[in-house]
């Protein structure tokens, strides 16, 4: 899932910017992903001659897309016109089209400005690499513009328009395709069905680049695994090279990847069409990543593999938060003393956003800036504007005094130095704030990469329910709440930790895998509810006889179901995983012990109600997954 930034240019990709570039340079390259609005933009620069060098969509190409002589003659004739009106050469993507515009590069009889429109920068071609051609890159459309497009397509249902905005991720072609899918009858509450129609249009457009029927098989596979090498994709030699040449595919440290939002659309369609195959592919890829992680000693490689493993878990909330369809470019850098005022302003925005007492956050900012201003990480967008920040500090003698108040009764155990002689106490994440969801995801992945690359422990104290839920889905160890409401916001911070050193890493992966197996979707929650109902009526065989859990091969009778549930709860209690053991403890005491309320049990465990019920639901989901998984063996 590569995030290679586009080539930079002093000219914005707007009609005015393109005109300014053409006034200053004889040849300009306008680039952008499939369907990003390049042709729309080129058509708005004023009087111009337009030649489209691309073949029709879905053209059965067994040979080059255009006859070189015919295309070349048309280009040379247009170049020879004695006019200052620009010449727009669109669709300069396939080899034949690149060859046809060779006269532009050599400058032979070029009498007018030329705009070359391509999906990828022409600088990637050997004959253009040293041409110094200015490159303007089309940016994603704002959500408001996409919503207006959906309104113009006469979509009046607000839910349908929200779906268009979410799936398009700033791409007008995808927005139009989503509108067509909805008008064709796909329901707004079935995003997979809408994505299926959209994916068909994507593949049709890509047929210009790779005229091969196997594209319909290979692209969903690549979109599902995230990043794939030859082994994972089962595509070697020429086939792998052909996939890498697609304009929607990029090369990453771990192999090829489909760029967003195309990856999201293609995978969503694949999951809708073939859910069993989709899950099996993701499970196979997750296992492959685990093997590579255990085999590598390179910490940077391991961090990259771990990030891919997070992507492959399939836990819904985790995927949506860390890997959204929109992936804008951004930089994340350590702060310097000159950034102190910016940090203060961001801290106040964070306080306002989360309902925190600004006096408390101001005091924290002052202490953290004095202790280690370089621990702040600043997120800047493509325009260089400050878009978010995080406080990620080394736990050491210089910083621990300013960190302890956020851990309170947990400080003695968690902030002590590691057992390794001279080893660090870990990293402490005190704040991570970025209003833009896509940039926020970029920041969170950066934090995880930094921690995994060292590797060390990551300690978190957060009053924010959304972060608490995310850390729970990440299977971090939950140490409970602090005694005081530190931020005076009506919520006590929850304390979490995860060790990324040594054997702790594979154990964490196993927990992530079990979270995926337990599921987080509506179906898993429904089965979990049936497990809870059965546990509540273990002594009532008449009620158990109505349970759909009797359909599991291991529990064909009420007696077998009752016995299995008792044994499964005890296995949870005996689990080596602290989260599962705690969930088992809750289930055993609530359903199998003397009558107690949930509040009484939460108090005994020193857990907040939210954490208690997350543990309870996790235990029910694990039992549901194990019941039916055992039956499939």
């Amino acid at each position: 899932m590569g995030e290679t930034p586009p080539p930079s240019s002093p000219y914005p990709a707007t009609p005015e910017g393109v005109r300014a570039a053409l006034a200053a340079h004889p040849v300009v390259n306008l680039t952008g992903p499939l369907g990003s609005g390049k042709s729309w933009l080129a058509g708005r620069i004023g009087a111009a001659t337009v030649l489209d060098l691309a073949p029709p969509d879905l053209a059965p190409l067994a040979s080059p897309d255009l006859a070189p002589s015919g295309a070349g003659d048309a280009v040379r004739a247009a170049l020879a016109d004695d006019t200052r009106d620009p010449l727009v050469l669109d669709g300069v993507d396939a080899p034949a089209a690149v060859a046809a515009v060779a006269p532009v590069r050599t400058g032979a009889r070029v009498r007018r400005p030329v705009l070359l429109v391509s999906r990828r920068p022409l600088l990637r071609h050997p004959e253009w690499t040293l041409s110094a051609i200015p490159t303007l890159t089309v940016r994603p459309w704002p959500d408001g513009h996409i919503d207006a497009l959906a309104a113009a397509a006469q979509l009046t249902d607000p839910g349908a328009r929200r779906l268009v905005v979410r799936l398009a991720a700033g791409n007008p072609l995808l927005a139009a395709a989503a509108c067509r899918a909805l008008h064709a009858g796909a329901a707004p509450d079935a995003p997979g069905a809408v994505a299926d129609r959209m994916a068909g249009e994507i593949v049709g457009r890509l047929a210009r680049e790779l005229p091969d029927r196997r594209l319909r098989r290979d692209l969903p596979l690549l979109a599902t695994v995230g990043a794939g090498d030859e082994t994972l994709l089962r595509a070697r030699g020429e086939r792998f090279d052909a996939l890498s040449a697609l304009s929607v595919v990029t090369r990453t440290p771990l192999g090829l990847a489909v760029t967003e939002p195309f990856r999201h659309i293609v995978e969503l369609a694949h999951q809708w069409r073939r859910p069993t195959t989709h899950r099996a592919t993701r499970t196979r890829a997750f296992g492959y990543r685990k093997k590579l992680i255990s085999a590598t000693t390179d910490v940077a490689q391991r961090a990259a593999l771990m990030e891919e493993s997070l992507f492959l878990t399939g836990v819904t909330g985790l995927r949506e938060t860390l890997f959204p369809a929109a992936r804008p470019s951004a930089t994340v850098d350590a702060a310097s003393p000159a950034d102190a005022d910016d940090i203060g302003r961001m801290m106040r925005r964070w306080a306002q956003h989360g309902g925190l007492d600004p006096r408390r956050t101001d005091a924290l900012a002052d202490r953290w800036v004095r202790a280690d201003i370089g621990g702040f990480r600043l997120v800047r967008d493509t325009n260089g504007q400050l878009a978010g920040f995080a406080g990620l500090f080394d736990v050491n003698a210089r910083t621990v005094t300013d960190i302890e108040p956020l851990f309170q009764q947990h400080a003695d155990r968690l902030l002590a130095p590691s057992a390794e002689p001279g080893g660090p106490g870990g990293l402490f994440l005190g704040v991570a704030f970025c209003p833009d969801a896509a940039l926020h995801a970029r920041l969170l992945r950066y934090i995880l990469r930094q921690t995994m690359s060292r590797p060390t422990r990551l300690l978190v104290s957060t009053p924010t329910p959304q972060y608490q839920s995310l850390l729970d889905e990440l299977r971090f160890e939950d140490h409970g709440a602090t005694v005081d409401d530190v931020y005076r916001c009506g919520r006590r911070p929850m304390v979490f930790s995860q060790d990324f050193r040594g054997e702790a890493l594979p154990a964490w992966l196993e927990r992530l895998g079990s979270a995926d197996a337990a599921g987080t979707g509506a179906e898993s929650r429904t089965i979990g509810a049936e497990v809870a109902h059965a546990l509540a009526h273990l002594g009532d065989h008449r009620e158990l006889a109505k349970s759909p859990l009797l359909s599991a091969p291991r529990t064909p009778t009420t007696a077998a179901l009752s016995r299995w549930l008792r044994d499964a709860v005890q296995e949870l209690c005996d689990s080596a995983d602290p989260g599962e053991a705690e969930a088992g403890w809750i289930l055993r005491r609530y359903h199998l012990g003397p009558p107690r309320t949930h509040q009484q049990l939460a108090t005994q465990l020193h857990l907040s109600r939210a954490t208690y019920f997350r543990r309870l639901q996790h235990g029910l989901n694990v039992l549901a997954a194990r019941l039916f998984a055992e039956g499939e063996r």
Side-chain angles (χ1 to χ4, degrees), residues 103-104 116 195 223 234 277 279 304 372 379 418 420 429 432 502 557 566 578:
V104 177
L116 301 173
R234 296 173 177 171
T277 302
R279 186 175 182 85
D372 181 17
V379 183
S418 68
E420 302 172 13
L429 177 63
T557 65
R566 291 178 185 274

Side-chain angles (χ1 to χ4, degrees), residues 554 564-577 580-581 584 588 622-623 626 630:
R554 290 292 297 271
W564 186 92
L565 287 172
R566 291 178 185 274
D567 292 344
V569 168
Q570 186 58 49
E571 287 180 11
L572 268 187
C573 292
D574 298 335
S575 172
D577 178 83
E580 288 189 359
R588 185 174 65 186
V622 169
L623 294 187
R626 289 181 180 177
E630 289 183 4

